[in-house]
Amino acid sequence: AQSVTQLGSHVSVSEGALVLLRCNYSSSVPPYLFWYVQYPNQGLQLLLKYTSAATLVKGINGFEAEFKKSETSFHLTKPSAHMSDAAEYFCAVSEPNYKLSFGAGTTVTVRA
Amino acid sequence: GAGVSQTPSNKVTEKGKYVELRCDPISGHTALYWYRQSLGQGPEFLIYFQGTGAADDSGLPNDRFFAVRPEGSVSTLKIQRTERGDSAMYLCASSLSQGAGELFFGEGSRLTVL
């Protein structure tokens, strides 16, 4: 069985500061890993995905994530937060079939 | 539009009523998924279609929930005898193929059961 744990349900950062969202996964096989973002009253949008190529994955809006097998982690970072980054972020894992398992989500607040 | 379309965007119903939620996937996407998202939680898998057939319905919570995709495109999620606990956002997603293909999500149908 596969699962995802997101550490911290809420993260508050100052504009211009580093954004770090933590995600740990469990999977019995090499996983595919995803980060999705959800803005208020909108559907989920893919930020980036890891599918066993480069361990450092770059996504949209300046976000990136690093796959660390030894730590079973896939943390999401952005060097400098922008007000528009305020949203809810979901980490998800998929074994090589089709079913995504999502974490509980982390809400990001950006302070001016 | 080019994205996944879900209707209605909001549905308020009374306990015990029947509800249908519709999903129109991106044209050409053979895989279609339904997820349910309760407040403060991540989306939970309900059912997956590959073409017209339900390849995996293991996430449907009970036999009050049913989904169809008769022509391999539009899908309808049907909920009978709704209960207050069914209140949630129901998300539909589609993808070109299974596996590592990106899922494209609709904006969801918010169901409120009074």
Side-chain angles (χ1 to χ4, degrees):
Chain A
Q2 55 197 3
S3 66
V4 162
T5 301
Q6 290 184 241
L7 190 62
S9 59
H10 289 87
V11 168
S12 180
V13 299
S14 297
E15 192 173 19
L18 171 72
V19 179
L20 170 60
L21 305 182
R22 299 180 187 275
C23 172
N24 288 88
Y25 69 91
S26 67
S27 177
S28 57
V29 298
Y32 296 154
L33 293 159
F34 306 80
W35 276 99
Y36 280 83
V37 61
Q38 187 176 34
Y39 298 102
N41 301 314
Q42 294 188 25
L44 280 75
Q45 179 183 3
L46 182 68
L47 273 178
L48 49 80
K49 66 179 180 181
Y50 166 77
T51 57
S52 75
T55 57
L56 182 63
V57 182
K58 293 188 183 299
I60 61 172
N61 302 338
F63 284 92
E64 63 181 36
E66 186 172 8
F67 172 68
K68 291 188 176 180
K69 183 178 178 180
S70 61
E71 299 178 6
T72 61
S73 70
F74 190 57
H75 301 329
L76 181 72
T77 61
K78 181 174 180 177
S80 176
H82 190 272
M83 298 299 288
S84 62
D85 295 327
E88 189 158 21
Y89 293 80
F90 294 94
C91 183
V93 61
S94 170
E95 295 177 4
N97 44 29
Y98 50 85
K99 189 187 305 184
L100 284 179
S101 295
F102 287 87
T106 299
T107 299
V108 172
T109 303
V110 182
R111 305 185 304 272
Chain B
V4 176
S5 176
Q6 291 188 246
T7 55
S9 55
N10 277 285
K11 176 69 176 179
V12 180
T13 191
E14 294 179 343
K15 181 175 178 294
K17 298 291 187 183
Y18 170 80
V19 165
E20 289 190 353
L21 306 176
R22 174 189 168 107
C23 173
D24 198 344
I26 293 172
S27 178
H29 281 194
T30 57
L32 184 146
Y33 310 77
W34 284 99
Y35 282 81
R36 179 168 71 172
Q37 185 177 19
S38 300
L39 202 60
Q41 298 182 21
E44 294 177 306
F45 172 81
L46 294 177
I47 187 169
Y48 155 65
F49 288 89
Q50 182 62 40
T52 60
D56 183 350
D57 64 358
S58 62
L60 295 177
N62 51 60
D63 61 6
R64 294 187 297 106
F65 287 74
F66 189 71
V68 295
R69 195 186 185 198
E71 297 178 358
S73 178
V74 171
S75 176
T76 305
L77 178 65
K78 307 180 180 193
I79 310 174
Q80 298 177 319
R81 305 182 304 280
T82 52
E83 300 177 357
R84 293 194 178 88
D86 298 336
S87 297
M89 177 72 85
Y90 289 83
L91 299 171
C92 178
S94 68
S95 70
L96 271 173
S97 63
Q98 67 184 52
E102 176 182 352
L103 265 61
F104 293 84
F105 282 84
E107 295 190 354
S109 292
R110 181 168 295 284
L111 175 65
T112 303
V113 182
L114 301 177

